[in-house]
Amino acid sequence: PSESVVVVVDSLELRGLEARNKSLVVAAEQAKLEAQKEVEGIAPALRKELATLKEECRSQLFAKDAEVDAAEESLRNALEEHASQLAELKVKFQGEFRDLEDL
């Protein structure tokens, strides 16, 4: 008789553990679903933020590209101006050199 009581107690304990396990599984599934819902709720905002950042980067890149183009143009103009001044100086010095040779 004492052995049958132990078996009954073990069986009751096993049922309790099984019930606890089922409730833990259900709680874990609920937590997973809630996490998925939260991620699904955050994802659109993150996509929008990413698109905004991409657009800002693209805009800044175009602005920098325009700055580089302007700087290149300015440099080109300065080089052309200096080349023109050098050509004028060359002509002037050649003329002065000829004048010295004539002396």
Side-chain angles (χ1 to χ4, degrees):
S2 63
E3 288 178 13
S4 64
V5 171
V6 170
V7 170
V8 170
V9 169
D10 285 343
S11 177
L12 287 174
E13 188 175 339
L14 182 60
R15 286 187 190 139
L17 290 173
E18 286 174 346
R20 179 166 165 73
N21 187 38
K22 284 181 183 177
S23 70
L24 288 174
V25 167
V26 168
E29 287 175 358
Q30 270 186 319
K32 180 182 172 184
L33 288 174
E34 288 174 14
Q36 283 176 334
K37 285 180 185 176
E38 188 174 337
V39 166
E40 289 169 359
I42 293 171
L46 290 176
R47 282 188 201 99
K48 183 177 180 182
E49 181 67 19
L50 179 60
T52 300
L53 290 173
K54 281 172 132 178
E55 188 56 38
E56 286 176 8
C57 288
R58 198 174 290 125
S59 175
Q60 289 177 6
L61 181 63
F62 288 142
K64 290 295 180 190
D65 194 35
E67 286 178 28
V68 168
D69 288 346
E72 285 176 348
E73 182 65 25
S74 177
L75 249 162
R76 232 183 330 277
N77 291 339
L79 285 172
E80 288 173 4
E81 178 65 27
H82 288 300
S84 174
Q85 290 173 355
L86 283 173
E88 289 173 10
L89 285 173
K90 181 180 176 185
V91 168
K92 178 181 176 184
F93 284 125
Q94 283 175 344
E96 288 180 12
F97 185 71
R98 268 187 246 122
D99 290 345
L100 288 174
E101 285 181 337
D102 290 343
L103 293 178

